[in-house]
Amino acid sequence: MPYVVTRSCCADASCVLACPVNCIHPAPGEPGFGTTEMLYVDPRTCVDCGACVTACPVDALKPHTALAAAELPFLELNRAYYDTHPHEDRAPMALVPPQRRIRGGELRVAVVGAGPAGLFAADELLRHPGVSVTVHDRLPTPYGLARAGVAPDHQDTKQVTGLFRAIESQPGFTYRLNTHIGRDLHHEDLLRDHHAVLYAVGAATDRRLGIEGEDLPGCASATDFVAWYNGHPDHSTDTFPLDGERAVVVGNGNVALDVARVLTADPERLARTDISDRALDALRASRVREVVVLGRRGPAEAAFTLPELLAVAALDDIDVLVEGRPADLPADATPKTRVLAEIAARPRRPGRRLVLRFLAAPARVVGDDRVTGLAVARTALHSRSGRVRAVPTGDEEILGASLVLRAVGYRARPVPGLPFDEDTGTVPHDRGRVSPGVYVAGWIKRGPTGFIGTNKSCAQETVEALLDDWDAGRLTDPAVPAADRPAPPDAVGLDGWRAIDASERAAGAAEGRPRVKLVDRERLLAAARTPAPSGRNAAGGGRWK
């Protein structure tokens, strides 16, 4: 009874380490790790021990006999991977680097960014005795996109936050949340107070389309839309025009599919999740009945992952359509195009529609004082030097729409005090080292690619560079003793975050939901001041520790 990975897993390699027969690949150090859409279990060598299930932080693994109908394609997907990647070498994996005894006593590191990259970096640092880590974030809550980016109907993926809770519970870990680096503290302050500063600030903005009408009301960033429905404090009062029957999402990556699913979902299903209450009220009143997802290139080049496509294909209350000529859907080309061909062949269903349109590019946003539509240009594919390009054919149509969302990628902002490459949207580095004492990890290091677990191997590389510099004596001792470091007046520590977490979970339990998010900064800070009922949460009144 082999076990099966059943979705885009977090890919943090916990299951790889737990597997006694090394049957889960690609593993760290192997080609494809960190870039493949998921990990895969080899059914020929799996011994049915279940160790991977215990290790997986997002419950992505199941025995094949327990698969739901919508999950059955993953059984073949796992098996097929090993047809082209046999992984005959079954030597035990050496995934855990040896501990380093920190020369000269305590090594103090500031981590800027409390998302997956920052927390994985903290975890890697705290594996070594003698290290203390203070994680800063400008929001009163941690976890970054794991809290404010994962779609509310993907609660299984959000279970990775259980792993983050274990990381933040380690000795030597400290939070300074609600602390804006560049306003409350500066780069120079962090360098003065720590041996090293590691930036894991992600990619907070989105790429623009660069077309006429893009700044009209009703044309917005999918990044902002996702933050809005996830209760991000910076977007709690945002509004989006949901009074028209059609919305268009430009781009066909995973974020585009998330947005399309949320816009077409039954609001009562979303009401059982941790979606923002304000967003839920707006979606309940929404008149949107069709969401068109535009892809500039063809089905074979679609940016979404196969697991995300299978999640859309499994929707039983949405009419999912694929718009394209039969020649555009070669059923025998790839697993992705096979699934698209199956969707295209389905009979129509009544109700809301989610349309996957390929070979279509945005030409201009239509409207005077607000969006009324999007001009869409048909494209054709041309191959040059092994690269497939989408070239406009001259054919154009107007899609009426009240809402146009661009979902064509994230982009990082420059970090004050650090160099920045405008072309790649990253900080130049060598294995995460910007200079001795300054480091980067996550999207600000490598660009907006990979999955949650990709940040683990990324953080490992950066931490190794940092510890090499420490061993070589390249780091400068802090000018201020650890006990004398003042906290900004409104900083939220671990106890404050746990008080917020307890408040949200209690409100959620009363409504049969995972949590009811506090979406206003003032209410979040008020919750942080309220001591939790017992244990470590209650220490220090909840604000700073």
Side-chain angles (χ1 to χ4, degrees), residues 11 71 78 80 85 115 153 165 199 201 216 230 233 258 278 297 361 375 397 402 411 418 492 498 525 541:
E71 297 169 328
N78 278 248
H85 304 83
D153 59 346
R165 284 193 290 275
Y199 287 89
V201 293
L216 279 172
N230 271 315
D258 284 349
R278 293 176 184 172
R297 297 189 291 176
E397 68 169 303
S402 63
R411 182 173 174 81
L418 273 62
V492 173
R498 286 182 166 172
L525 294 179

Side-chain angles (χ1 to χ4, degrees), residues 489-514:
D490 287 325
V492 173
L494 175 59
D495 293 320
W497 156 237
R498 286 182 166 172
I500 293 171
D501 185 47
S503 175
E504 291 183 339
R505 288 175 179 272
E511 298 183 14
R513 301 168 61 183

Side-chain angles (χ1 to χ4, degrees), residues 397-462:
E397 68 169 303
I398 304 295
L399 280 180
S402 63
L403 176 64
V404 174
L405 295 172
R406 56 181 182 269
V408 291
Y410 290 91
R411 182 173 174 81
R413 298 190 182 105
V415 178
L418 273 62
F420 190 72
D421 186 326
E422 290 288 350
D423 291 335
T424 62
T426 61
V427 171
H429 65 91
D430 175 21
R431 296 189 304 123
R433 179 192 296 109
V434 182
S435 61
V438 181
Y439 307 86
V440 287
W443 282 359
I444 192 64
K445 170 186 173 184
R446 67 181 192 275
T449 61
F451 308 96
I452 290 175
T454 310
N455 293 295
K456 186 170 185 177
S457 55
C458 176
Q460 286 174 338
E461 179 187 61
T462 297

Side-chain angles (χ1 to χ4, degrees), residues 318-344:
I318 301 296
D319 189 19
V320 183
L321 305 179
V322 178
E323 291 190 352
R325 299 181 299 276
D328 297 330
L329 297 170
D332 59 346
T334 66
K336 192 179 293 185
T337 54
R338 283 199 296 271
V339 173
L340 287 167
E342 292 169 2
I343 295 173

Side-chain angles (χ1 to χ4, degrees), residues 35-55:
T35 59
T36 54
E37 298 178 348
M38 53 190 283
L39 302 183
Y40 304 87
V41 178
D42 186 348
R44 296 167 297 184
T45 54
C46 176
V47 294
D48 188 27
C49 68
C52 57
V53 176
T54 303

